[in-house]
């Protein structure tokens, strides 16, 4: 189990990035004061340290809060943005709430899909592993707005940011 002090002894945090410090191995002196890790194809920054690969955002969270939650959520959805103000503790369900439409989504809106039998757009929301059917809509934009409101209601602060902005625009009208 990695501790806050171990991370603080080896890394310095600056503006969302980890930098190597206190490099004691003679063959690794070139790392001192250099950015730690590299960007992985998944979009996360990975750091090889103590014989293991660690995600930088988890090390940064541990460094600032002193514990590691089950998952660390990027509030703005940008996996490369590891500023501490963009990181928050989450469980699996909460972390899944804060994501946009999946790559295979044909409507372009999370939670909205075409229902062939009824020839309408279906709105569904997942929360804690349970799917809730919100309704069927003939108009895609209406379905998208209903989906945004439902996700804001069920997911609260973990609702994807673009959805929260859309609901705020509706309420302002």
């Amino acid at each position: 189990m990695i501790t806050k002090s171990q991370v603080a002894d080896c890394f310095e945090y600056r503006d969302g990035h980890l930098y190597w410090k206190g490099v004691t191995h003679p063959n690794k002196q070139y790392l001192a004061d250099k950015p730690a890790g590299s960007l992985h194809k998944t979009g996360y920054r990975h750091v090889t340290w103590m014989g293991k690969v660690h995600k930088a955002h988890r090390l940064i969270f541990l460094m600032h809060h002193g514990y590691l939650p089950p998952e660390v959520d990027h509030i703005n959805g940008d996996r490369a943005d590891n500023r501490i103000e963009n990181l928050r503790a989450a469980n699996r369900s909460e972390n899944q709430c804060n994501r946009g439409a999946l790559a295979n989504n044909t409507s372009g809106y999370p939670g909205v899909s075409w229902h062939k039998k009824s020839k309408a757009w279906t709105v569904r929301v997942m929360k804690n592993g349970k799917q809730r059917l919100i309704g069927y809509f003939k108009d895609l934009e209406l379905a998208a707005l209903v989906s945004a409101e439902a996700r804001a209601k069920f997911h609260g602060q973990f609702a994807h940011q673009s959805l929260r902005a859309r609901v705020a625009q509706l309420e302002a009208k």
Side-chain angles (χ1 to χ4, degrees):
M1 184 77 171
I2 299 170
T3 66
K4 176 181 179 175
S5 63
Q6 287 174 313
V7 176
D9 287 345
C10 292
F11 301 102
E12 180 183 338
Y13 170 82
R14 284 186 255 151
D15 299 323
H17 299 284
L18 290 176
Y19 292 85
W20 292 103
K21 74 173 190 180
V23 181
T24 56
H25 194 281
N27 292 340
K28 301 288 183 178
Q29 290 299 317
Y30 68 93
L31 290 175
D33 206 37
K34 297 274 195 291
S38 60
L39 204 56
H40 191 264
K41 64 183 178 183
T42 58
Y44 293 108
R45 181 163 288 278
H46 286 193
V47 178
T48 302
W49 174 57
M50 295 177 59
K52 287 182 70 178
V53 176
H54 301 273
K55 290 182 178 167
H57 65 279
R58 292 184 60 78
L59 294 176
I60 290 169
F61 189 92
L62 173 62
M63 185 183 240
H64 284 82
H65 297 288
Y67 75 100
L68 272 177
E71 296 200 14
V72 176
D73 180 44
H74 289 82
I75 297 169
N76 68 4
D78 180 359
R79 295 173 174 182
D81 184 356
N82 292 328
R83 293 172 297 124
I84 191 61
E85 57 269 14
N86 187 46
L87 303 176
R88 64 181 165 197
N91 62 35
R92 183 73 178 155
S93 179
E94 290 167 336
N95 202 2
Q96 292 299 303
C97 291
N98 188 20
R99 67 178 191 187
L102 300 178
N104 64 352
N105 181 304
T106 55
S107 72
Y109 301 98
V112 179
S113 60
W114 182 251
H115 190 263
K116 287 180 186 177
K117 194 173 184 179
S118 65
K119 295 182 181 168
W121 295 100
T122 306
V123 175
R124 297 176 191 272
V125 175
M126 285 287 285
K127 182 66 178 172
N128 295 325
K130 293 183 181 175
Q131 193 176 80
R132 292 173 170 84
L133 173 65
I134 306 300
Y136 298 92
F137 303 89
K138 296 292 181 188
D139 182 53
L140 175 59
E141 287 190 15
L142 177 60
L145 293 173
V146 169
S147 174
E149 281 190 30
R151 289 169 60 93
K153 175 184 174 188
F154 288 106
H155 300 165
Q157 70 175 356
F158 287 92
H160 191 266
Q161 283 213 327
S162 64
L163 298 173
R164 286 196 299 260
R166 194 173 294 151
V167 170
Q169 286 174 345
L170 283 175
E171 290 173 350
K173 288 183 180 179

